[in-house]
Amino acid sequence: MSNVIEIEHMSKFYGAFQALDDINLTVSQGEVVVIIGPSGSGKSTLIRCINMLEQYQQGDIRVGDQRVETGDKLASIRCEVGMVFQNFNLYPHLSVLTNIALAPIRVRGMARRDANERAHLLLEKVGMGGHAQKYPSQLSGGQQQRVAIARTMAMEPRVILFDEPTSALDPEMVGEVLDVMQSLVRSGVTMVVVTHEMGFARKVADRVVFMENGRIIEQNNPHDFFTAPQEPRTHAFLQAVLHH
Ligand SMILES: Nc1ncnc2c1ncn2[C@@H]1O[C@H](COP(=O)(O)OP(=O)(O)OP(=O)(O)O)[C@@H](O)[C@H]1O
């Protein structure tokens, strides 16, 4: 199966502080990789390097057949890599429909009618069919996040990166967003998900990656990862999060 993301010996520094240390990770087409680890372990930094929200200093990141690097690559990498943030980041002054249709029109040059038609289909897919003309402030957090997912899908990226997509939500809305993500998985979307939702990792991931202090400590299929972690640090983390 072809690799969508290939990361080799990648390190990232914020000034003198090393946030990522010799990261090696591949994600193949259709794969769901869930990244877990303690606060400050570098999970967000890692996915922000993949879509060029942060620069890395050593090693390589490739998406499809392109090397991720600054300069003229930015636009084409951003088309290939979708991102869903913790705080939804919808445009507050645009309707739900326009939030979704805007980038396909502006960036891909799609005709407005086609982009709107696609936006309506995507809204149905995320269970938001009746809300096309509303504004983000009229929606709950869970609804806004489902619109944000539809907006990312509208660009038909090769892979979608999720940075703690349910962390800013009230508990009763977490399930509706995870359900939408699971439906994307069933339709074959490749994704990398940073989350504290262990149930999602267990049920939906093809592979779970555990990070600590800027390093990948261990990665495995969810069954083996959760039942028989190999590294003492993984074991200790799972004990703390699963039994508190
Ligand atoms: N812009 C920045 N400048 C300097 N240091 C930063 C910056 N962003 C993150 N860091 C540091 O890099 C480390 C990794 O942060 P990161 O946000 O990637 O961790 P995380 O695993 O995603 O944590 P959390 O689960 O709390 O979101 C932390 O020590 C953090 O303080």
Side-chain angles (χ1 to χ4, degrees):
M1 208 181 261
S2 63
N3 287 334
V4 175
I5 299 174
E6 286 182 8
I7 304 177
E8 288 186 336
H9 300 296
M10 189 271 281
S11 294
K12 195 244 171 339
F13 298 81
Y14 290 111
F17 173 72
Q18 184 161 13
L20 295 173
D21 183 2
D22 196 29
I23 299 292
N24 293 283
L25 182 71
T26 59
V27 179
S28 57
Q29 195 170 346
E31 199 178 16
V32 179
V33 173
V34 171
I35 302 177
I36 65 173
S39 183
S41 55
K43 307 179 297 293
S44 297
T45 301
L46 173 56
I47 60 172
R48 291 170 68 84
C49 285
I50 299 171
N51 78 344
M52 299 180 72
L53 285 171
E54 295 287 352
Q55 271 181 271
Y56 58 100
Q57 284 75 38
Q58 292 169 7
D60 265 315
I61 302 180
R62 304 187 72 84
V63 172
D65 49 13
Q66 297 188 83
R67 183 167 192 266
V68 174
E69 55 198 340
T70 45
D72 56 359
K73 289 283 182 64
L74 184 67
S76 61
I77 295 290
R78 290 275 168 83
C79 283
E80 307 256 26
V81 182
M83 183 101 175
V84 174
F85 299 90
Q86 190 173 341
N87 292 310
F88 334 128
N89 291 11
L90 295 173
Y91 301 114
H93 58 292
L94 298 179
S95 70
V96 161
L97 192 81
T98 310
N99 260 283
I100 299 171
L102 189 70
I105 295 168
R106 288 264 173 87
V107 182
R108 285 266 157 87
M110 192 184 262
R112 181 173 296 274
R113 247 178 84 168
D114 295 342
N116 285 347
E117 199 174 311
R118 180 189 285 181
H120 279 296
L121 287 174
L122 287 166
L123 280 173
E124 292 293 337
K125 198 165 177 172
V126 299
M128 290 292 292
H131 303 274
Q133 301 310 328
K134 291 190 178 165
Y135 285 81
S137 61
Q138 298 172 286
L139 304 177
S140 72
Q143 291 175 325
Q144 289 186 56
Q145 193 59 303
R146 286 187 280 148
V147 172
I149 291 171
R151 179 178 62 173
T152 303
M153 295 284 291
M155 288 294 282
E156 301 185 317
R158 269 179 202 262
V159 54
I160 303 182
L161 313 176
F162 291 83
D163 192 2
E164 302 196 18
T166 60
S167 297
L169 298 176
D170 292 334
E172 72 270 21
M173 291 167 192
V174 169
E176 67 193 57
V177 170
L178 295 179
D179 286 349
V180 164
M181 291 169 65
Q182 213 173 334
S183 76
L184 301 190
V185 170
R186 281 194 294 271
S187 60
V189 174
T190 309
M191 53 173 86
V192 180
V193 184
V194 172
T195 186
H196 297 284
E197 296 292 332
M198 295 300 143
F200 181 85
R202 207 171 201 143
K203 204 160 56 168
V204 181
D206 294 306
R207 188 147 44 101
V208 182
V209 174
F210 175 64
M211 291 184 68
E212 195 183 62
N213 294 331
R215 309 200 69 151
I216 293 177
I217 304 298
E218 178 167 357
Q219 46 180 313
N220 213 334
N221 68 71
H223 178 269
D224 292 348
F225 182 88
F226 286 107
T227 57
Q230 300 297 302
E231 294 289 330
R233 282 172 293 179
T234 317
H235 187 76
F237 177 77
L238 291 178
Q239 286 288 319
V241 296
L242 297 174
H243 302 290
H244 72 272

